Amino acid sequence: MAEKLAPEKRHSFVHNGQKVFEWDQTLDEVNIYITLPPNVHSKQFYCKIQSKHLELGIKGNPPYLNHDLTSPVKTDSSFWTLEDDIMHITLQKRDKGQTWASPILGQGQLDPYATDLEQKRLMLQRFQEENPGFDFSQAQFSGNCPDPRTFMGGIRSD
């Protein structure tokens, strides 16, 4: 049932008409997916994840991304992998349940409607996590959705 509340699609981050990366989020994580250029050996790529900053690219070249993050992440549980010509970066949110409008601070923000949909999906994900025997996949909110971080006393820590 929880997989029904997973992100339905990835969001695209586009700059100057070019797709830079795709991304999605859960209550705990923000995932970034970057299509790698062909004919570059995997050992030439690097990714540096800091609490509020992300830098990645090909060694010996200017960074492909070198930006502040929208919100802080837990660096000890954030990581990156390379698989099938995709760099997958998993950023562990410091504030579980926070809805990110974009991974990159001040750029590529989701529109208000898409942000509201994300917040509703994360709230349903929180309900599913806290009540594993119930199916919230068909639940809907009417009106404004509460903040998943603070609703009814906030998110419980394990």
Side-chain angles (χ1 to χ4, degrees), residues 24-90:
D24 61 33
Q25 66 184 308
T26 66
L27 278 174
D28 302 298
E29 302 172 342
V30 172
N31 295 288
I32 299 173
Y33 308 90
I34 299 170
T35 302
L36 300 174
N39 304 320
V40 180
H41 194 275
S42 61
K43 291 184 180 191
Q44 292 181 273
F45 294 103
Y46 74 94
C47 181
K48 185 177 177 184
I49 302 169
Q50 297 174 310
S51 174
K52 294 182 178 184
H53 194 83
L54 179 65
E55 180 183 331
L56 61 97
I58 299 171
K59 294 174 186 171
N61 292 290
Y64 180 70
L65 283 179
N66 189 13
H67 295 284
D68 288 336
L69 298 169
T70 295
S71 296
V73 299
K74 297 177 183 177
T75 56
D76 59 338
S77 50
S78 297
F79 59 93
W80 61 284
T81 59
L82 300 176
E83 185 175 332
D84 297 330
D85 298 326
I86 301 288
M87 178 183 279
H88 176 192
I89 304 164
T90 301

Side-chain angles (χ1 to χ4, degrees), residues 11-23 64 102 107-109:
H11 306 289
S12 290
F13 181 90
V14 178
H15 182 71
N16 292 333
Q18 296 272 354
K19 181 175 76 171
V20 179
F21 61 81
E22 293 182 324
W23 69 281
Y64 180 70
S102 171
Q107 296 186 33
Q109 305 284 3

